[in-house]
Amino acid sequence: MNRKVIIDTDPGLDDAVAILFALNCGRFDILGLTTVAGNIGIENTTRNAGRLLAAMQRSDISVVMGADTPMRREAIDIVVVHGQDGVKGLALPEPEVAALPGAVEWMANKLIAEPAGSVDILALGPLTNLAHLQMRYPEAAARIGKLIVMGGAVDEPGNVGARSEFNFATDPEAVHIVFRAGLDLTVIPLDVTRRVRANPGQVAAMRGATAGNIAADVIDLYFGEGRESRPLHDPCVMLYALEPGLFGIEERNLAVDLEEGTDAGALKPGRPGLPNKKFAMTVDAPGAIALLTKGLTGSL
């Protein structure tokens, strides 16, 4: 049976590729997309989630609007990466169904309605929604099966500060709450996502089906100055969920920096005696791109 998942997201170019893969690969039962402000503000991230569903003729899947601000910090502006609309002007249809309000309540209700441990959450953006879920509905949060999170940098430099990664730096307090919740948590940090990049030939191979065509267009917008795209951060969450053997997991006792300044959200050694958490530290990058291509072209 396909695994039931909720995708918590802030699309976002790499979010878009991850969502398209999840919709097209035939291996997920997607209960809904919950949105968080993240990359470009809650109105844009929510609109983009609905637009992706409309493009894939999957508007039967709910989009539910979540947190519009971090728990106590100012949002980080990365318009330069994703454009004013979050997808750099990519042509997509408008949402066919209006988004629902109240992502945290919606997640809680879904988790309570389904058997405990049967719903995984694939978190592609800041963890604000998940932190509010843990604080307000801990009995529902305890029913999450696997929580797979893209965020952080362990041994790698950061991408918004010397040691801090965007998702975790946007809402360090949310990371702190989620880390301490005792959930079955796996973190996919920059240490592996920076290894997963597509070259022009690999992007061309993704074309054919609707999902692959849109994803290839997205990655074309996401190319750097060289011969490879920027890192495909968020698709790594979906790839790990399907094929964890592509990734090498290490358990480490790490906490999140809650201070002010450029290291906010950085990972640091945790207090002795705290439980370890799972971090993906290595990846079979060619295998990851091959799996991504199969999912986008419908050949899994």
Side-chain angles (χ1 to χ4, degrees):
M1 294 178 62
N2 292 343
R3 190 74 178 171
K4 293 178 181 178
V5 299
I6 295 169
I7 300 174
D8 194 59
T9 182
D10 61 336
L13 291 169
D14 54 328
D15 298 71
V17 177
I19 292 166
L20 291 163
F21 174 86
L23 290 168
N24 198 64
C25 72
R27 300 277 294 278
F28 296 110
D29 178 3
I30 302 172
L31 301 183
L33 307 183
T34 54
T35 60
V36 62
N39 282 323
I40 201 70
I42 194 65
E43 289 78 13
N44 276 322
T45 61
T46 302
R47 173 176 174 247
N48 288 338
R51 294 170 76 201
L52 289 164
L53 292 176
M56 291 294 293
Q57 300 183 2
R58 289 303 313 272
S59 295
D60 57 301
I61 297 173
S62 296
V63 176
V64 195
M65 185 182 294
D68 60 353
T69 60
M71 299 190 80
R72 73 170 187 84
R73 299 180 188 245
E74 295 293 326
I76 299 173
D77 186 347
I78 54 169
V79 168
V80 67
V81 176
H82 296 273
Q84 292 288 342
D85 64 350
V87 288
K88 281 201 169 179
L90 181 72
L92 291 169
E94 289 303 309
E96 296 176 352
V97 179
L100 302 172
V104 174
E105 293 83 357
W106 182 90
M107 280 194 286
N109 289 334
K110 285 291 182 185
L111 290 164
I112 290 170
E114 300 289 344
S118 67
V119 177
D120 298 336
I121 296 185
L122 310 180
L124 312 182
L127 297 182
T128 315
N129 289 336
L130 279 300
H132 284 300
L133 177 70
Q134 176 63 35
M135 289 193 304
R136 293 164 57 187
Y137 302 100
E139 73 289 350
R143 298 171 68 88
I144 297 170
K146 298 180 186 303
L147 174 57
I148 308 172
V149 169
M150 189 277 130
V154 180
D155 297 328
E156 285 275 311
N159 60 5
V160 295
R163 297 172 48 240
S164 56
E165 175 275 333
F166 171 80
N167 283 346
F168 282 12
T170 295
D171 201 342
E173 286 71 26
V175 179
H176 178 70
I177 291 167
V178 171
F179 271 21
R180 293 171 63 89
L183 303 172
D184 183 355
L185 169 68
T186 302
V187 179
I188 313 294
L190 296 181
D191 302 71
V192 296
T193 65
R194 280 192 170 132
R195 309 297 183 262
V196 180
R197 304 171 186 253
N199 62 42
Q202 290 167 329
V203 175
M206 295 174 185
R207 295 189 180 275
T210 299
N213 290 337
I214 299 172
D217 288 343
V218 169
I219 297 172
D220 282 342
L221 292 171
Y222 204 47
F223 261 78
E225 296 181 359
R227 294 182 53 81
E228 291 183 316
S229 69
R230 290 186 175 94
L232 300 177
H233 302 292
D234 293 330
C236 290
V237 170
M238 279 58 182
L239 300 177
Y240 176 80
L242 286 193
E243 295 291 345
L246 290 170
F247 297 80
I249 299 296
E250 297 181 14
E251 292 194 2
R252 299 203 185 186
N253 179 6
L254 295 176
V256 63
D257 193 321
L258 298 176
E259 300 297 325
E260 303 295 335
T262 59
D263 278 347
L267 295 173
K268 63 180 185 178
R271 287 190 291 106
L274 291 178
N276 290 341
K277 288 167 279 292
K278 293 180 287 186
F279 293 85
M281 296 301 297
T282 62
V283 60
D284 172 2
I289 292 294
L291 179 59
L292 180 64
T293 302
K294 287 180 180 178
L296 290 170
T297 56
S299 56
L300 272 181

